[in-house]
Amino acid sequence: RGGTAGVTREDFWALRDVGFEIAPGEVVGIIGRNGAGKSTLLKILSRITEPTEGRVTLSGRVASLLEVGTGFHPELTGRENIFLNGAILGMSRSEIARKFDEIVAFAAVERFLDTPVKHYSSGMYVRLAFAVAAHLEPEILIVDEVLAVGDAEFQQKCLGKMQDVSRGGRTVLFVSHNMAAMQALCNRGIWLEKGQVGRDGPIRDVVSQYLSHSAAGSRVSSGGITPVSPSLDLSDFEVSPNPVESSGAIAFRMTLRAKAATKINEAVLLVYSVQEMRLAIVDLRPAGLSASLAAGETLTIRGTIASLPLVEGEYRIGAGLTTSDFVGDKLGLFDLTVAARPTNLPYAPYAAAHRGVLELDARVESSRGQLPP
């Protein structure tokens, strides 16, 4: 500007060479780290931002919910904003009026319907915005991470509504960091990495690879060094065997090294899913952890899990610590593969995706008889 010397310009491609097709009725989850290009992609698909190169072809009416209160006027009431936002989305007044009661009931803002929305909380804002976008029957619904603002009950209502939308033959694009919600809702995943498509495929496969990739930088193996607290490093972590058969036994060993004087008050081993849902813990206090460590001193913990009753699939192992200067979890320390145990049943077992998480050791029997006359 003004010929100022030393000013340089750098081009940054938020997205580059991204291409895909989405069929009507598909529910697609778009995942990736912050800065991967997810929000930029949604803005382009919503026609908010023009692409520098390439093109987007959309067939159908699009409703997008990218930011809390998008399309709302703060001085207008909730009632007025329903009609305003619906008009922005291309709906007629009669269409909005027909859906009005459903929208208000879903958003649960009846008491504040005639209050200017500038007085709404962020949760009320997003409830009303989502209710309008989802109930006005778009062919394509685009939803960003804004659902994180709502409470757990509302998030479940939103997921149910998006499932209803998809079952009606309409398309949903969903961006979230909640991998469990992704897998509950979506049948396909697109992983964006540094502005490009890292993987496009079934949602379970994409989520598993994404989480493995995300945790790879902090995962340790024998001889590795990983900080776990301000005063502790994990200098060694091993699990064997890996893979392990479902309901099989595994042994583990971990070595903690004190960078500074500290005291370990509590420690647990964490077993969790690739969606970061905690499945079980192993209490390590019986190993006699309540002791102070001097700088440079190490503590090695060994243990055995007699039976790991998990359905075959990919899992993660981490640690939870309470020390004199830290309370928290360290996830992504180790990837664990559980393999199906051999069976001689005369029929094929149900697919792992249909069996939940636990492989229960159950015994069942049946008998036949005649009903009394």
Side-chain angles (χ1 to χ4, degrees), residues 53-96:
E53 294 180 355
R55 69 182 187 275
V56 174
T57 302
L58 295 169
S59 299
R61 187 162 53 187
V62 178
S64 58
L65 186 57
L66 305 184
E67 296 179 11
V68 176
T70 300
F72 278 20
H73 192 295
E75 299 295 336
L76 300 181
T77 66
R79 183 188 305 274
E80 292 165 334
N81 269 296
I82 291 175
F83 284 93
L84 172 64
N85 199 233
I88 290 173
L89 294 173
M91 309 296 172
S92 67
R93 185 175 183 84
S94 61
E95 281 184 283
I96 302 169

Side-chain angles (χ1 to χ4, degrees), residues 12-18 40-58:
F12 174 78
W13 289 90
L15 297 168
R16 194 71 188 266
D17 299 326
V18 172
T40 301
L41 175 61
L42 295 194
K43 287 178 181 178
I44 290 174
L45 295 176
S46 302
R47 298 192 180 101
I48 295 171
T49 301
E50 285 290 323
T52 309
E53 294 180 355
R55 69 182 187 275
V56 174
T57 302
L58 295 169

Side-chain angles (χ1 to χ4, degrees), residues 169-239:
R170 289 169 281 166
T171 303
V172 178
L173 274 71
F174 182 37
V175 166
S176 177
H177 291 286
N178 184 334
M179 296 297 108
M182 278 282 188
Q183 295 199 105
L185 178 67
C186 305
N187 47 38
R188 175 182 169 191
I190 296 175
W191 166 21
L192 290 182
E193 177 72 11
K194 297 179 180 178
Q196 296 185 315
V197 176
R199 178 76 189 271
D200 182 350
I203 187 67
R204 286 178 64 90
D205 297 344
V206 173
V207 167
S208 179
Q209 289 203 359
Y210 166 67
L211 292 176
S212 296
H213 177 81
S214 299
S218 64
R219 192 166 297 117
V220 296
S221 58
S222 181
I225 301 291
T226 297
V228 292
S229 80
S231 57
L232 284 175
D233 284 338
L234 187 64
S235 61
D236 187 72
F237 192 96
E238 291 184 349
V239 174

Side-chain angles (χ1 to χ4, degrees), residues 103-293:
I103 292 169
V104 173
F106 188 92
V109 293
E110 294 93 337
R111 292 179 56 196
F112 309 98
L113 197 55
D114 295 307
T115 301
V117 297
K118 66 181 181 181
H119 299 301
Y120 283 17
S121 68
S122 59
M124 293 166 64
Y125 240 109
V126 75
R127 290 206 306 269
L128 189 57
F130 180 87
V132 174
H135 281 79
L136 296 181
E137 299 180 355
E139 281 80 26
I140 303 169
L141 177 62
I142 299 175
V143 184
D144 204 345
E145 186 66 271
V146 290
L147 297 186
V149 178
D151 57 30
E153 181 183 357
F154 180 70
Q155 289 179 23
Q156 286 300 114
K157 287 174 65 175
C158 291
L159 291 174
K161 185 60 182 177
M162 286 190 281
Q163 287 172 334
D164 292 342
V165 168
S166 67
R167 281 194 288 266
R170 289 169 281 166
T171 303
V172 178
L173 274 71
F174 182 37
V175 166
S176 177
H177 291 286
N178 184 334
M179 296 297 108
M182 278 282 188
Q183 295 199 105
L185 178 67
C186 305
N187 47 38
R188 175 182 169 191
I190 296 175
W191 166 21
L192 290 182
E193 177 72 11
K194 297 179 180 178
Q196 296 185 315
V197 176
R199 178 76 189 271
D200 182 350
I203 187 67
R204 286 178 64 90
D205 297 344
V206 173
V207 167
S208 179
Q209 289 203 359
Y210 166 67
L211 292 176
S212 296
H213 177 81
S214 299
S218 64
R219 192 166 297 117
V220 296
S221 58
S222 181
I225 301 291
T226 297
V228 292
S229 80
S231 57
L232 284 175
D233 284 338
L234 187 64
S235 61
D236 187 72
F237 192 96
E238 291 184 349
V239 174
S240 63
N242 188 23
V244 58
E245 278 187 11
S246 180
S247 298
I250 62 170
F252 62 88
R253 184 187 72 198
M254 57 190 297
T255 299
L256 296 165
R257 185 179 66 180
K259 296 178 285 187
T262 189
K263 182 179 181 181
I264 304 174
N265 297 313
E266 296 181 5
V268 296
L269 202 68
L270 305 173
V271 182
Y272 59 101
S273 69
V274 293
Q275 297 83 32
E276 298 189 358
M277 178 178 69
R278 184 178 296 191
L279 303 176
I281 69 168
V282 178
D283 191 347
L284 302 178
R285 289 176 297 179
L289 297 178
S290 185
S292 298
L293 295 179

